[in-house]
Amino acid sequence: MSTAQLPPVAPEVTATLVEDLSPRLRKRLDAAVTKLGARPAHREGDTVTIAVDEETDLRLHAPGGVVATADSITCDCLLAPACVHRAAAACAAPTADPAPEPAGQPDPPVVESASPTDDTVPAPDVASPAQRAAAGAVWSAAAAVLEAGVDGAGAVAQAALLRAAHTARLQHLPRVAGAALSVVTLLRAARAGDPSYRTAGLVTALAELLGTAHRVGIASGAELAAVRGRSRRPYSPDGSLRLYGLFTEPVVTDSGHGGVRTWVAGPDGRLFTVGDVAPGGVGRALGVADRAVRLGESALTHRELGRAGLAVSGATVSPDGRLGAGKGVRAVTARGAGWTEQPLAALWEMPPFQQATQALRSTSRYADPDAGGSDLLFLDVELRGPVREQGGTCLLALCDGGIAVRLTVADDDPALAHRDNLMLLATAPGTRLRIIGRLIPALHPRLALLACSHPTGEGTIDLGFDRLRRADLPVPDAQVHPAPPEPGDSGAHSPLHLLERRVEQTVPAGRAALGMLGDVSAETGRLRRAGLPTAAGLLSALCASAARRERDHFGRLLPADTDGFAIHWLSAARYTSAVSESLCTAAWEPTGEGTAAPDKLPAPPDQADGA
């Protein structure tokens, strides 16, 4: 049985079923989840039935597609309803997205912080005692997950986090609740051996969860509103828009979804997207590209929109720039613009360093989800040739300021054209192109190449769909020497990874993994010699906290300081992220202007404010 066959289960249902188990059955829960995953299941209407054994069936009833109550999971065994099977089924199923908040309980109003000179502005808004308690429960559950690591954070620990997430949602803390559900989803993927799971993703999710939960108790005004987050990301009215197509990219996710995203720009350079993504994988992505855009009366396909224009009235736009397709939206085809024509040409006029700095704000691991912005860069480059890396081959190009940029494949699926196009472009050093790429945060300038001007100068290329031919490329210039120099910024050789790997090492195996390291003076010494004394101090404090266990007067070990260790880990995680982003920004500075000196690297988050 695949978990994809099971209907999603509301977080509070899973939490309730696990909490109702006896201590003896809780110890058997993880094994029951694994065993249940090997049993056959079939769907009939809104009900999925799992054959626990030859005489016992387990049923999940999901009217509307979601198991919303504990009574909707039933079992035929003799111990039901107090059996382990019901809780195991809930733990094996995907976690449902939170339901809308109860009617009559709107989100608390956003109150701006008062300025000293304006007596008419209300006093700073603060979290209620119930919200602080809910956030504290989430912190404790997340700290327990960090303490145990993936290996020890089984169904019981996950259920505790789901219960805390449900309480946070009821207290109007949707950002905290959503972060908790993300951690649970990643924990399950890690424990199931999902090939799409990455430890770095769980590191980010845990740090986001711990940091956000802590900030609830100390934030006020606009900061508190951001920490609370939104129950939904609503589409807001944006009147009439004149839009110009840029390009279309395929979207293929690890979860099996596929589709397209078409990028358009307004006269002021603001970027918008029109998407169509649903279950179906790369096959659907290839098919949807030539389907009509779901926006008003437009008959344009996504590929056509990427080179044409739209006039939209009654437009609605989400915080991240997605255009809504509601009933009140009207859209008709209009003239587009070339990349060298205004208003699109203005996108390439901003210096690369400034573009990278702005893009990094939207790709930051802990960016405000409602902050908006784009991770795209618009560059004029000269191709220099292929560069071999540990993970394969990329294409080096030079842009304004003498910045050497590594261009990589946006998606390696052989059904898409990304890889073939990049390899063909790598055979044409000296070619000048206008490109669009997605920033990849790294210690050297790096982009995933998405679209480019045609090498002949006529039109543009959607590199995921269009396939270049050798005849499209200019004859190589014999004067061009494609062998490029390696990036020379000091950040590319930063020993920051010594701290990063200890932060990541905690997540799979828990606090004990660091507690057994012993002496780390060699690593801290190397960090100090590299001008990173704060990183050295954080590494030393993190490992010391992991190893510290106090004893009572009788020599018995006292419970570990889970909260203290979580604070040290969170500070280290947020620090490494901040420094990595600083080094990434510095790498985009024009050649000769230097990179971030060690004493200019960002200080770590203050432990008192929970990072």
Side-chain angles (χ1 to χ4, degrees):
M1 175 192 70
S2 167
T3 57
Q5 296 177 262
L6 299 179
V9 177
E12 62 272 22
V13 171
T14 302
T16 297
L17 291 174
V18 174
E19 290 165 355
D20 288 346
L21 292 177
S22 66
R24 180 179 64 86
L25 291 180
R26 288 190 188 185
K27 294 179 181 179
R28 296 171 49 191
L29 181 55
D30 288 328
V33 173
T34 302
K35 183 177 179 180
L36 202 65
R39 302 301 301 166
H42 70 274
R43 180 186 295 271
E44 184 175 343
D46 292 332
T47 300
V48 173
T49 302
I50 305 171
V52 178
D53 54 41
E54 294 181 357
E55 299 178 352
T56 305
D57 284 341
L58 178 69
R59 298 177 182 84
L60 292 85
H61 185 53
V66 175
V67 177
T69 65
D71 292 341
S72 297
I73 302 180
T74 60
C75 183
D76 293 340
C77 76
L78 296 177
L79 294 179
C83 63
V84 74
H85 303 128
R86 298 171 67 222
C91 293
T95 301
D97 291 331
E101 293 187 353
Q105 299 185 33
D107 288 341
V110 175
V111 181
E112 300 294 338
S113 299
S115 64
T117 58
D118 188 356
D119 295 334
T120 65
V121 180
D125 196 8
V126 296
S128 68
Q131 287 179 322
R132 290 195 294 271
V138 171
W139 166 276
S140 297
V145 167
L146 183 66
E147 173 83 10
V150 170
D151 295 341
V156 174
Q158 295 167 27
L161 192 51
L162 289 175
R163 171 61 69 195
H166 177 61
T167 303
R169 183 186 68 81
L170 294 180
Q171 293 301 325
H172 307 292
L173 298 174
R175 183 171 176 180
V176 175
L181 297 186
S182 295
V183 169
V184 171
T185 299
L186 288 169
L187 280 174
R188 290 179 175 178
R191 292 175 63 86
D194 188 330
S196 66
Y197 168 77
R198 298 291 182 271
T199 299
L202 185 51
V203 169
T204 299
L206 265 173
E208 164 71 11
L209 177 57
L210 288 166
T212 305
H214 186 86
R215 286 169 60 201
V216 168
I218 60 174
S220 61
E223 182 188 358
L224 178 60
V227 171
R228 283 173 174 155
R230 298 174 181 267
S231 301
R232 311 164 193 84
R233 304 188 68 184
Y235 286 81
S236 57
D238 210 332
S240 297
L241 296 173
R242 178 67 168 89
L243 303 174
Y244 300 85
L246 279 165
F247 72 101
T248 299
E249 64 172 319
V251 178
V252 182
T253 70
D254 291 331
S255 62
H257 287 65
V260 297
R261 182 188 297 116
T262 299
W263 290 82
V264 296
D268 58 355
R270 190 160 54 129
L271 299 180
F272 304 88
T273 59
V274 182
D276 185 346
V277 180
V282 68
R284 186 177 190 277
L286 293 171
V288 169
D290 293 315
R291 293 183 190 173
V293 172
R294 298 175 182 174
L295 196 67
E297 301 82 18
S298 172
L300 292 173
T301 67
H302 279 273
R303 298 293 310 284
E304 292 170 340
L305 174 58
R307 295 174 172 86
L310 277 180
V312 184
S313 62
T316 58
V317 184
S318 72
D320 60 359
R322 287 176 294 173
L323 290 168
K327 295 181 179 179
V329 178
R330 299 289 182 267
V332 295
T333 303
R335 178 185 176 278
W339 287 5
T340 56
E341 301 177 67
Q342 297 296 347
L344 297 186
L347 296 169
W348 279 265
E349 295 172 0
M350 183 182 294
F353 173 74
Q354 187 176 348
Q355 290 191 52
T357 301
Q358 293 183 359
L360 192 60
R361 295 194 190 109
S362 66
T363 61
S364 171
R365 298 179 194 175
Y366 309 108
D368 183 348
D370 288 331
S374 163
D375 57 0
L376 299 186
L377 270 68
F378 302 83
L379 304 177
D380 288 307
V381 302
E382 179 184 312
L383 304 184
R384 299 307 300 255
V387 176
R388 292 190 179 277
E389 298 182 318
Q390 184 175 1
T393 301
C394 67
L395 171 60
L396 195 88
L398 292 180
C399 63
D400 293 345
I403 301 171
V405 183
R406 297 193 179 204
L407 306 177
T408 67
V409 174
D411 193 311
D412 248 330
D413 194 302
L416 301 175
H418 288 296
R419 170 63 63 182
D420 292 341
N421 285 332
L422 188 111
M423 291 299 97
L424 191 58
L425 290 172
T427 66
T431 302
R432 296 194 62 84
L433 295 175
R434 179 157 278 194
I435 67 170
I436 302 176
R438 175 166 289 116
L439 178 70
I440 300 176
L443 300 183
H444 52 261
R446 194 174 188 88
L447 297 178
L449 189 58
L450 300 172
C452 69
S453 58
H454 197 284
T456 63
E458 298 293 331
T460 60
I461 300 292
D462 293 339
L463 290 167
F465 294 114
D466 300 323
R467 291 189 180 271
L468 287 166
R469 299 171 300 171
R470 188 165 297 277
D472 294 324
L473 303 179
V475 177
D477 187 344
Q479 300 298 317
V480 175
H481 301 284
E486 291 293 320
D489 60 278
S490 60
H493 308 288
S494 168
L496 186 65
H497 66 89
L498 297 174
L499 178 59
E500 287 178 321
R501 71 178 180 180
R502 299 310 182 192
V503 169
E504 288 200 4
Q505 188 177 4
T506 307
V507 171
R511 183 178 62 86
L514 294 189
M516 296 185 294
L517 284 179
D519 185 18
V520 292
S521 58
E523 295 178 8
T524 57
R526 184 177 169 188
L527 287 166
R528 287 191 173 91
R529 288 191 298 273
L532 296 171
T534 302
L538 286 169
L539 177 58
S540 179
L542 177 63
C543 293
S545 175
R548 186 180 301 120
R549 290 295 301 272
E550 304 292 340
R551 295 180 181 270
D552 63 16
H553 295 298
F554 300 99
R556 296 172 298 192
L557 283 175
L558 295 172
D561 183 7
T562 303
D563 287 345
F565 177 71
I567 289 174
H568 284 293
W569 181 87
L570 176 59
S571 295
R574 295 300 294 262
Y575 173 87
T576 56
S577 174
V579 175
S580 294
E581 290 169 8
S582 176
L583 292 172
C584 175
T585 301
W588 282 88
E589 290 184 357
T591 301
E593 294 188 13
T595 55
D599 61 351
K600 294 183 180 179
L601 294 175
D606 191 299
Q607 292 184 6
D609 68 6

